[in-house]
Amino acid sequence: MTIQQNKVVAMHYSVSDAKGNELDSSFGNEPLVFIFGSGSLIRGLEQALEGKQAGDRFTVEVAAADAYGDRHEELTQAVPRAMFEGMDVQVGMRFRAAGDDGQEQSVIVLDVTEDEVVVDGNHPLSGIDLTFDVEILLVRDANADELAHGHAHGIDGTDGHHH
Ligand code: ZN
C-alpha cells in the first residue's frame, strides 16, 4: 500500500538545518502517526511522502518556502515594555498574542530593553531550509472514526478517544 490521500502513515523522522544541526527527531521515541493529506505536515515533506510505502527510508531537502515559510520582517516588532507590566520578561519567552488580523499567533521575545520588548511572530523554523531523514513504518487505511475526526488514532487506529 502506498501513501496517498486519507491513508494513515506512521513514520520516524529527523530534521536538520543546512549546517547539519539536528533540530528534532522521533527516532528512539514515539513515531509520528497522521492522516496523509489532512494538512498536518509541511507541504514539501508531504509531497515527498506521496507514493512511498512501509520500509522506505529516504532523505528529502525542503526549502524554507515549502517548510515553515520565509521570514517576514514585519512580524518582528518592538512593543512598549509597559504592555508587560508586572511580568519578568526574558529573552526566549513565548507568548500567545493577537496579531493585526485578530488571529492568535505565537511570538518569542528577541530582546528586552528598559522601554521596549522586541517580539518576533515568525515561526522559529521560518527562513530555514530543512533536510528530513524519513523512515516509513506503516501505511494503512484510515478507519471511519479517524476520518470523521480528521486525525489518526495511533498506529493501529484503536487509541482511545482523546478530545
Ligand atoms: Zn479522535
Side-chain angles (χ1 to χ4, degrees), residues 35-83:
I35 298 179
F36 185 79
S38 62
S40 58
L41 291 188
I42 61 171
R43 187 175 48 182
L45 182 56
E46 191 158 277
Q47 285 168 351
L49 287 171
E50 185 150 28
K52 295 289 198 296
Q53 54 192 326
D56 285 350
R57 182 155 186 172
F58 57 96
T59 297
V60 56
E61 293 178 21
V62 180
D66 289 324
Y68 292 96
D70 295 316
R71 283 188 62 81
H72 297 285
E73 290 314 317
E74 68 272 21
L75 292 179
T76 298
Q77 45 185 297
V79 297
R81 180 78 193 256
M83 284 180 63

Side-chain angles (χ1 to χ4, degrees), residues 145-146 149-153 160-163:
D145 278 351
E146 290 174 319
H149 295 173
H151 55 232
H153 287 168
H161 209 248
H162 44 76
H163 332 182

